[in-house]
Amino acid sequence: MNQEEIKKIIPHRDNMLLVQEATVENGVAHAKYHVSGDEWFLKGHFPGNPVVPGVVLCEMMAQGACVLLANLATADSATPMFTSLDKVRFKNPVKPGDTLESESTIIKQKGPFYWCAAKGYVSGKLCVTAEFSFALVK
C-alpha cells in the first residue's frame, strides 16, 4: 500500500501520518517510513545532532499495527485508540536519511481490545521494540 491507500484505512493525516508504505502478509504488518530530515519532530531534537524521538518511533510502529488492525472484520468503521504502551526498548538511534521498517503482530485479543508486538529496524539493525494495546472504537 502507498500512503493514499493507507489513508483509506487508518485515521491519521499529514504531519501525524507516519507510515509511507505498508503490507500485511500472514498476520504480520510491515510498514516503512523514510526520515527525510525535514520533519517537525527533528527541529528541536536535537539541534546539530537530529535523532527521531522515542515517542515518535513508537507512534510509527503503532500506526503500522493500525494497518494490521484495519484488516480485521471487527475493525469495520472503528477507530483504533491507543490504550497502552509497554516493554519499550530503544537499541539504536534513528536519524535523517534512515528508513524505519517495522513489523507488527497481534499477540492477544479480548473484546474490542487488541495487543500487538512490534519491532523497528533500520537496514536490518534492530532499533526499537514495544508492545501496544488498542481499543477499536465504533
Side-chain angles (χ1 to χ4, degrees), residues 109-122:
Q109 186 265 329
K110 185 175 183 178
F113 295 94
Y114 289 81
W115 286 260
C116 297
K119 294 180 180 181
Y121 300 88
V122 172

Side-chain angles (χ1 to χ4, degrees), residues 7-132:
K7 285 180 183 180
K8 293 176 183 173
I9 63 169
I10 68 173
H12 306 82
R13 292 298 176 265
D14 289 333
N15 289 348
M16 279 308 294
L17 180 56
L18 300 172
V19 175
Q20 294 168 327
E21 297 176 39
T23 60
V24 176
E25 291 181 34
N26 302 319
V28 180
H30 300 272
K32 291 183 183 182
Y33 183 86
H34 179 73
V35 181
S36 69
D38 295 328
E39 289 84 1
W40 58 271
F41 49 80
L42 292 174
K43 291 186 185 351
H45 197 270
F46 302 102
N49 184 27
V51 176
V52 177
V55 68
V56 174
L57 293 174
C58 290
E59 180 68 22
M60 289 172 176
M61 293 191 309
Q63 288 183 25
C66 287
V67 170
L68 179 61
L69 294 173
N71 281 278
L72 302 171
T74 55
D76 187 38
S77 66
T79 301
M81 303 296 286
F82 230 148
T83 55
S84 75
L85 181 59
D86 195 20
K87 299 179 184 172
V88 180
R89 299 291 180 264
F90 301 105
K91 308 285 187 180
N92 290 289
V94 178
K95 298 179 169 257
D98 290 344
T99 298
L100 183 76
E101 298 183 40
S102 67
E103 296 177 352
S104 303
T105 57
I106 296 170
I107 55 175
K108 181 179 167 184
Q109 186 265 329
K110 185 175 183 178
F113 295 94
Y114 289 81
W115 286 260
C116 297
K119 294 180 180 181
Y121 300 88
V122 172
S123 299
K125 189 174 187 179
L126 184 63
C127 294
V128 57
T129 62
E131 291 184 5
F132 311 104

